[in-house]
Amino acid sequence: MRILVVGGGGREHAIIRKLKESPKVDKIYAAPGNGGIAKDAECISIGAMDKEGIVAFSKENAVDLVFVAPDDPLADGMVDTLLANGIRAFGPRANAAIIESSKVFSKNLMKKYGIPTAEYETFSEPEKAIEYIQKRGHFPVVVKADGLALGKGVIIAKTMTEAKAAVKEIMEDKKFGASGNNVVVEEFLTGPEVSVLAFTDGIALKPMVSSKDHKRAYDNDEGLNTGGMGTISPNPYYTDEIAEICRKTIFEPTVAAMNSENRTFKGCLYFGLMITPDGPKVIEYNARFGDPETQVVLPRLKTDLVDIVEAVIDEKLSQIDIKWSDEATACVVMASGGYPLAYKKGLEITGLDENGQVEGAEVFHAGTKLEHGKFYTNGGRVLGVTGKGKTLDEALEKAYNAVKKINFENVHYRTDIGKTK
Ligand code: AMP
Ligand code: GLY
């Protein structure tokens, strides 16, 4: 098989390395890929949003399957375009990817179908949002931009002043662009967070092993929200009992709700959950694999990923038995100093071998480029370093030992992955 993976981050690198293990795969392309991906696949200079470019390339190069990994091309209908051109594609159509691309849609879906989530109201006018927050008079309160904002469009306001500033930033200053035309104002929930990715073909749903992201930039969960600074799997708070509650009250009802709305979801559905004192609730849905969740989940997958992907496309997921390793995994993200705000690019990365790896761990490249055999930084999140072990402590030790061998100017990583609640 010839497979094209759309995207160029750490998640895509983890997907490609897993696809590469399949005896069915002859060739993998990445559009656009990155410096580390170039060691595992052929990178082509077509942007992840270039639908026509991807279709043309797939036809010219007899690509058998396109794996669309990032949120924007999914929301923009890349899968629809591929299918319309007779090309097999993994990922939801745009009418289902909306479960991530519009928080107003997903909140209303949960309300309509009784899926547990934080209480909320949605607004298209800033004055109405502020009026509501004032009347509610209860802090903290959570203000979210409706659309895609790289995981950064969520503001937890502790006072009325902060809430007003949040509404202004999102709706008037348009800090997240058109994503802020509408806002969701919601109840602040407490409890440990869990990420559960699940394969679904719209009929069956098969959850993958659980994981836990660390979204804040600095240790002790301080600093700004980021795309994710590190992950562990399994998530120690996700017991079998909670998993069963989630299956019954959240996972299966979500698949059924999307079918009832004529928006059948096929692909990887990501449940961002919080285990509150009142039970598990949905914080957000994503229409794709998480980043950096994928970097701890897929290394534990024992079943051929190509078989699973094909079963999802062909609506035969119920026929597949998916096996996972019992080992724990931990991923530490090495970021450019300054991320998620401004940072420098083009800094030489030292300590990696010629394949962009280090011994004792698996290195997933996110923002890197390869020039004359050397790796350079090329983004905010630069590398995700994943360790594997019998226990979480062992996995963390391996990840951090590998991290210590790698360096670039102003490198920043959290030192407490797996240690916070
Ligand atoms: P989201 O982009 O919706 O996943 O939100 C980003 C992060 O903000 C989440 O991972 C939570 O840590 C936090 N968050 C979002 N919504 C809430 C909420 N209702 N209560 C408490 N924290 C929240
Ligand atoms: N790590 C969170 C996400 O992928 O949205």
Side-chain angles (χ1 to χ4, degrees):
M1 278 178 81
R2 300 160 70 77
I3 302 184
L4 166 57
V5 175
V6 175
R11 162 186 54 210
E12 287 76 13
H13 199 185
I15 290 166
I16 286 167
R17 288 184 79 105
K18 189 46 77 169
L19 290 171
K20 219 178 141 182
E21 288 175 13
S22 170
K24 301 203 169 77
V25 174
D26 303 309
K27 175 88 191 171
I28 304 177
Y29 296 103
N34 63 38
I37 290 176
K39 295 292 181 181
D40 292 300
E42 184 177 334
C43 295
I44 53 175
S45 54
I46 298 177
M49 290 298 283
D50 183 355
K51 288 187 270 200
E52 284 68 34
I54 299 280
V55 166
F57 182 90
S58 301
K59 286 185 174 168
E60 278 159 26
N61 295 276
V63 167
D64 297 297
L65 193 149
V66 179
F67 191 124
V68 185
D71 49 359
D72 326 17
L74 290 168
D76 192 45
M78 186 174 282
V79 168
D80 306 64
T81 304
L82 286 161
L83 296 177
N85 281 277
I87 301 163
R88 277 162 78 72
F90 178 82
R93 288 177 179 271
N95 76 345
I98 192 175
I99 198 165
E100 169 172 7
S101 59
S102 169
K103 289 195 193 284
V104 172
F105 170 85
S106 66
K107 293 298 288 189
N108 290 342
L109 183 86
M110 289 186 266
K111 191 184 263 179
K112 182 169 171 188
Y113 293 93
I115 298 165
T117 189
E119 294 201 22
Y120 73 102
E121 292 291 335
T122 65
F123 300 93
S124 54
E125 291 166 50
E127 301 76 33
K128 293 266 164 65
I130 288 169
E131 205 178 292
Y132 168 77
I133 297 169
Q134 213 139 28
K135 219 160 80 193
R136 194 171 170 273
H138 196 75
F139 296 92
V141 67
V142 184
V143 184
K144 298 184 176 184
D146 174 38
L148 300 176
L150 296 172
K152 298 170 200 158
V154 173
I155 298 170
I156 296 169
K158 292 187 209 75
T159 60
M160 192 62 222
T161 313
E162 282 182 23
K164 275 188 186 159
V167 171
K168 181 171 177 292
E169 258 180 23
I170 295 175
M171 301 192 86
E172 289 171 4
D173 305 346
K174 293 276 194 276
K175 194 167 164 195
F176 308 104
S179 287
N181 291 348
N182 295 288
V183 290
V184 173
V185 176
E186 72 177 28
E187 171 196 11
F188 177 75
L189 299 176
T190 55
E193 287 185 57
V194 182
S195 304
V196 179
L197 319 180
F199 292 107
T200 176
D201 58 0
I203 307 158
L205 175 134
K206 302 224 167 171
M208 302 181 214
V209 287
S210 64
S211 56
K212 178 171 162 47
D213 193 4
H214 299 66
K215 289 210 168 96
R216 299 299 195 102
Y218 302 120
D219 281 13
N220 302 314
D221 289 330
E222 283 167 17
L224 293 171
N225 256 327
T226 69
M229 292 298 296
T231 35
I232 54 169
S233 176
N235 185 316
Y237 297 99
Y238 192 68
T239 60
D240 289 347
E241 190 194 349
I242 287 173
E244 183 55 18
I245 296 172
C246 290
R247 188 183 64 77
K248 274 203 225 141
T249 65
I250 296 173
F251 303 161
E252 287 175 359
T254 301
V255 171
M258 291 299 276
N259 284 332
S260 301
E261 298 290 311
N262 285 318
R263 294 175 183 274
T264 295
F265 190 102
K266 289 173 71 170
C268 172
L269 185 51
Y270 167 128
F271 299 89
L273 308 168
M274 198 172 261
I275 315 299
T276 77
D278 301 327
K281 295 190 182 182
V282 177
I283 291 279
E284 66 160 352
Y285 291 113
N286 291 325
R288 51 167 176 87
F289 278 87
D291 190 342
E293 283 87 344
T294 309
Q295 291 91 311
V296 287
V297 170
L298 284 189
R300 297 183 56 198
L301 177 63
K302 295 208 286 197
T303 305
D304 189 328
L305 179 57
V306 174
D307 287 344
I308 304 173
V309 162
E310 295 216 278
V312 167
I313 294 172
D314 298 332
E315 298 175 9
K316 288 180 177 159
L317 186 62
S318 67
Q319 296 173 18
I320 271 204
D321 185 23
I322 303 178
K323 295 240 173 5
W324 298 94
S325 135
D326 290 332
E327 284 171 305
T329 42
C331 174
V332 177
V333 169
M334 302 182 75
S336 299
Y339 172 79
L341 302 175
Y343 52 82
K344 271 203 233 166
K345 283 188 193 177
L347 306 169
E348 188 181 340
I349 306 169
T350 57
L352 297 171
D353 69 15
E354 60 178 28
N355 290 315
Q357 297 295 310
V358 286
E359 225 176 82
E362 200 171 6
V363 181
F364 299 112
H365 288 233
T368 70
K369 66 181 175 193
L370 180 61
E371 268 171 19
H372 310 296
K374 287 183 175 174
F375 294 97
Y376 296 88
T377 67
N378 194 34
R381 291 190 292 176
V382 176
L383 301 167
V385 181
T386 295
K388 216 181 209 183
K390 284 194 192 72
T391 61
L392 174 60
D393 282 342
E394 202 181 306
L396 283 164
E397 195 185 320
K398 285 193 182 158
Y400 277 111
N401 280 342
V403 162
K404 284 179 198 131
K405 294 178 191 160
I406 307 169
N407 197 27
F408 50 88
E409 189 189 314
N410 238 343
V411 58
H412 166 65
Y413 57 87
R414 281 182 59 162
T415 64
D416 64 345
I417 299 303
K419 306 290 182 206
T420 58
K421 202 164 178 189

mmCIF file of all heavy atoms in Angstrom, residues 213 215 227 270 284 286 288 290-293, ligand 2:
data_model
loop_
_atom_site.group_PDB
_atom_site.id
_atom_site.type_symbol
_atom_site.label_atom_id
_atom_site.label_comp_id
_atom_site.label_asym_id
_atom_site.label_seq_id
_atom_site.Cartn_x
_atom_site.Cartn_y
_atom_site.Cartn_z
ATOM 1 N N ASP A 213 -2.954 14.660 29.379
ATOM 2 C CA ASP A 213 -2.166 15.746 28.799
ATOM 3 C C ASP A 213 -1.773 16.718 29.912
ATOM 4 O O ASP A 213 -2.372 16.706 30.988
ATOM 5 C CB ASP A 213 -3.031 16.457 27.736
ATOM 6 C CG ASP A 213 -2.220 17.385 26.842
ATOM 7 O OD1 ASP A 213 -0.978 17.425 26.978
ATOM 8 O OD2 ASP A 213 -2.836 18.082 26.014
ATOM 9 N N LYS A 215 -1.462 20.673 29.853
ATOM 10 C CA LYS A 215 -1.675 21.741 28.873
ATOM 11 C C LYS A 215 -0.956 23.039 29.194
ATOM 12 O O LYS A 215 -0.663 23.816 28.300
ATOM 13 C CB LYS A 215 -3.177 22.027 28.746
ATOM 14 C CG LYS A 215 -3.928 20.912 28.037
ATOM 15 C CD LYS A 215 -5.141 21.433 27.285
ATOM 16 C CE LYS A 215 -5.707 20.383 26.354
ATOM 17 N NZ LYS A 215 -6.809 19.616 26.908
ATOM 18 N N GLY A 227 -0.651 23.783 23.302
ATOM 19 C CA GLY A 227 -1.215 22.622 22.608
ATOM 20 C C GLY A 227 -1.037 21.345 23.427
ATOM 21 O O GLY A 227 -1.723 20.347 23.208
ATOM 22 N N TYR A 270 -11.946 12.076 19.780
ATOM 23 C CA TYR A 270 -11.162 12.356 20.980
ATOM 24 C C TYR A 270 -12.093 12.932 22.038
ATOM 25 O O TYR A 270 -12.760 13.929 21.787
ATOM 26 C CB TYR A 270 -10.073 13.340 20.577
ATOM 27 C CG TYR A 270 -9.285 14.052 21.656
ATOM 28 C CD1 TYR A 270 -7.899 14.028 21.637
ATOM 29 C CD2 TYR A 270 -9.898 14.811 22.647
ATOM 30 C CE1 TYR A 270 -7.149 14.720 22.582
ATOM 31 C CE2 TYR A 270 -9.160 15.495 23.596
ATOM 32 C CZ TYR A 270 -7.801 15.450 23.544
ATOM 33 O OH TYR A 270 -7.068 16.143 24.472
ATOM 34 N N GLU A 284 -14.279 18.781 26.101
ATOM 35 C CA GLU A 284 -14.259 19.078 24.661
ATOM 36 C C GLU A 284 -14.177 17.785 23.866
ATOM 37 O O GLU A 284 -13.737 16.750 24.377
ATOM 38 C CB GLU A 284 -13.054 19.955 24.295
ATOM 39 C CG GLU A 284 -11.728 19.241 24.504
ATOM 40 C CD GLU A 284 -10.555 19.838 23.732
ATOM 41 O OE1 GLU A 284 -10.753 20.735 22.893
ATOM 42 O OE2 GLU A 284 -9.422 19.381 23.966
ATOM 43 N N ASN A 286 -12.535 16.365 20.160
ATOM 44 C CA ASN A 286 -11.726 16.658 18.986
ATOM 45 C C ASN A 286 -12.046 15.603 17.931
ATOM 46 O O ASN A 286 -12.401 14.469 18.268
ATOM 47 C CB ASN A 286 -10.227 16.648 19.315
ATOM 48 C CG ASN A 286 -9.842 17.830 20.198
ATOM 49 O OD1 ASN A 286 -10.398 18.923 20.066
ATOM 50 N ND2 ASN A 286 -8.916 17.612 21.111
ATOM 51 N N ARG A 288 -10.111 14.103 15.836
ATOM 52 C CA ARG A 288 -8.806 13.634 15.347
ATOM 53 C C ARG A 288 -7.995 13.082 16.505
ATOM 54 O O ARG A 288 -8.398 13.212 17.654
ATOM 55 C CB ARG A 288 -8.075 14.857 14.779
ATOM 56 C CG ARG A 288 -8.123 15.968 15.848
ATOM 57 C CD ARG A 288 -7.228 17.110 15.619
ATOM 58 N NE ARG A 288 -7.454 18.117 16.663
ATOM 59 C CZ ARG A 288 -6.864 18.133 17.835
ATOM 60 N NH1 ARG A 288 -5.959 17.225 18.140
ATOM 61 N NH2 ARG A 288 -7.137 19.061 18.737
ATOM 62 N N GLY A 290 -5.121 13.235 19.243
ATOM 63 C CA GLY A 290 -4.579 14.348 20.020
ATOM 64 C C GLY A 290 -3.076 14.460 19.846
ATOM 65 O O GLY A 290 -2.396 13.504 19.494
ATOM 66 N N ASP A 291 -2.570 15.646 20.132
ATOM 67 C CA ASP A 291 -1.133 15.903 20.054
ATOM 68 C C ASP A 291 -0.743 16.627 21.338
ATOM 69 O O ASP A 291 -1.178 17.759 21.526
ATOM 70 C CB ASP A 291 -0.859 16.769 18.818
ATOM 71 C CG ASP A 291 0.617 16.894 18.510
ATOM 72 O OD1 ASP A 291 1.432 16.622 19.411
ATOM 73 O OD2 ASP A 291 0.951 17.277 17.382
ATOM 74 N N PRO A 292 -0.028 16.057 22.265
ATOM 75 C CA PRO A 292 0.827 14.866 22.192
ATOM 76 C C PRO A 292 0.240 13.559 22.765
ATOM 77 O O PRO A 292 1.019 12.684 23.138
ATOM 78 C CB PRO A 292 2.046 15.283 23.015
ATOM 79 C CG PRO A 292 1.483 16.161 24.093
ATOM 80 C CD PRO A 292 0.246 16.804 23.515
ATOM 81 N N GLU A 293 -1.065 13.374 22.787
ATOM 82 C CA GLU A 293 -1.612 12.094 23.258
ATOM 83 C C GLU A 293 -1.184 10.930 22.367
ATOM 84 O O GLU A 293 -0.860 9.835 22.848
ATOM 85 C CB GLU A 293 -3.151 12.143 23.297
ATOM 86 C CG GLU A 293 -3.738 12.896 24.474
ATOM 87 C CD GLU A 293 -3.899 14.385 24.225
ATOM 88 O OE1 GLU A 293 -3.286 14.909 23.260
ATOM 89 O OE2 GLU A 293 -4.626 15.033 24.989
HETATM 90 N N1 GLY B 2 -3.488 17.712 23.326
HETATM 91 C C1 GLY B 2 -4.751 18.265 23.091
HETATM 92 C C2 GLY B 2 -5.194 18.234 21.696
HETATM 93 O O1 GLY B 2 -4.658 17.552 20.852
HETATM 94 O O2 GLY B 2 -6.153 18.929 21.404
#
